[in-house]
Amino acid sequence: MRFTRPRDLAAVAIIAALLAHLLLRLAYDSLPPLPVLAGSTLFVIAVAELVFAFSLRARIQRRPGARPVQPLTAARAVALAKASSVLGALMFGAWTGLLIFVLPVRDSFAAASNDLVAGIVGVVAALALTAAALWLEHCCRTPTESSGNE
């Protein structure tokens, strides 16, 4: 299994941004305003993954007092990290598409200024999730992989 490449995540984000922007151009005036904290759930997942990553890292590096990691646990953590990084990139693209649409029209639509704040919260949360997922994936490397023997 290969580790996640930034260009793969960038491709997902760009496609999502384009699709979100296109959909908003077609139907924005019929949508309700977004809740300001709509994207904050991604931040909660990011925090949980960060806690898991630091715990798992200590166990993989066999620090004193840390119990060993079962291979299936490490494989599940890598799968979670890969899925979360793709979700983070997808949502980053979607929120960016919203921001690109909302910035120029925030004076034309009453909901646009509210959606601008929701978009900023969503972008920050999506970036946090992507970063946490990539860190979790990095923490799942064995000590020999981390030392540069790849």
Side-chain angles (χ1 to χ4, degrees):
M1 180 184 294
R2 293 180 304 142
F3 287 97
T4 304
R5 294 182 298 202
R7 71 176 179 191
D8 296 338
L9 297 178
V12 169
I14 290 168
I15 291 169
L18 291 172
L19 288 175
H21 184 73
L22 177 65
L23 289 173
L24 289 169
R25 288 180 65 100
L26 295 174
Y28 186 74
D29 55 348
S30 64
L31 295 174
L34 291 170
V36 173
L37 298 177
S40 63
T41 54
L42 299 176
F43 189 73
V44 173
I45 297 168
V47 170
E49 285 193 20
L50 272 179
V51 170
F52 182 47
F54 282 109
S55 168
L56 194 61
R57 184 175 190 211
R59 292 172 61 194
I60 288 174
Q61 292 179 345
R62 295 185 179 100
R63 293 193 181 143
R67 56 181 211 265
V69 177
Q70 297 296 323
L72 188 56
T73 301
R76 287 178 178 163
V78 170
L80 172 66
K82 285 187 151 307
S84 295
S85 64
V86 171
L87 173 65
L90 179 72
M91 293 309 299
F92 175 78
W95 287 114
T96 301
L98 172 83
L99 288 176
I100 291 170
F101 178 79
V102 168
L103 277 171
V105 299
R106 66 181 178 266
D107 296 329
S108 303
F109 294 101
S113 59
N114 178 59
D115 291 348
L116 178 67
V117 176
I120 292 169
V121 170
V123 163
V124 170
L127 281 174
L129 177 59
T130 304
L134 291 174
W135 177 247
L136 175 59
E137 187 175 342
H138 175 77
C139 289
C140 290
R141 293 180 180 204
T142 60
T144 56
E145 287 178 327
S146 298
S147 63
N149 294 338
E150 295 178 6

